[in-house]
Amino acid sequence: QVQLVESGGGLVQPGSSLKLSCAASGISFGYYNMAWYRQAPRQQRDLVAAISNKGISVYAGSVKGRFTISRDIVKNTMYLQMNSLKPEDTAVYYCNALEVTGSGDYWGQGTQVTVSS
């Protein structure tokens, strides 16, 4: 059974940093493209950053230069380091795993990030 569990969210002030974690079980990063999405209330779920099974990363323009996606193969955990946080970053952040051949698409339960003064 595939399971993705996010953690690390919280309430922080603008300009602060936060590091999110996605603990994965039942998958191998060698066969999955991994990604972070976020969704604010009554908004669509948008891609924040992604890292392919080959380790190649891409970012949404709104977070490029501030966020860094990474993965630890041994721990089977993906991370999102978020720096210089802005109120516009407030959302529920979701972990996603997409099997490279399209045979599987999985989501975590989400973790709340609130940036407010």
Side-chain angles (χ1 to χ4, degrees):
Q1 178 176 313
V2 175
Q3 187 173 13
L4 305 173
V5 181
E6 302 96 332
S7 62
L11 172 62
V12 297
Q13 295 194 348
S16 296
S17 295
L18 214 49
K19 188 173 184 178
L20 306 183
S21 297
C22 171
S25 60
I27 68 168
S28 170
F29 286 159
Y31 295 95
Y32 284 81
N33 296 324
M34 305 294 296
W36 288 99
Y37 286 75
R38 67 186 182 188
Q39 185 171 26
R42 294 173 297 282
Q43 301 293 314
Q44 68 178 22
R45 187 171 298 186
D46 293 327
L47 178 70
V48 177
I51 183 166
S52 75
N53 65 319
K54 303 296 185 183
I56 300 171
S57 301
V58 296
Y59 298 89
S62 58
V63 308
K64 187 172 295 184
R66 299 188 297 123
F67 291 10
T68 303
I69 190 171
S70 63
R71 59 182 186 170
D72 185 317
I73 304 298
V74 175
K75 293 182 178 179
N76 234 222
T77 300
M78 178 178 65
Y79 305 96
L80 184 67
Q81 177 65 52
M82 305 185 293
N83 299 325
S84 302
L85 283 162
K86 305 174 180 180
E88 309 93 90
D89 296 318
T90 296
V92 177
Y93 284 70
Y94 295 92
C95 178
N96 171 252
L98 180 64
E99 204 275 330
V100 294
T101 66
S103 65
D105 189 3
Y106 305 97
W107 294 88
Q109 84 292 340
T111 185
Q112 176 72 49
V113 172
T114 302
V115 185
S116 176
S117 58

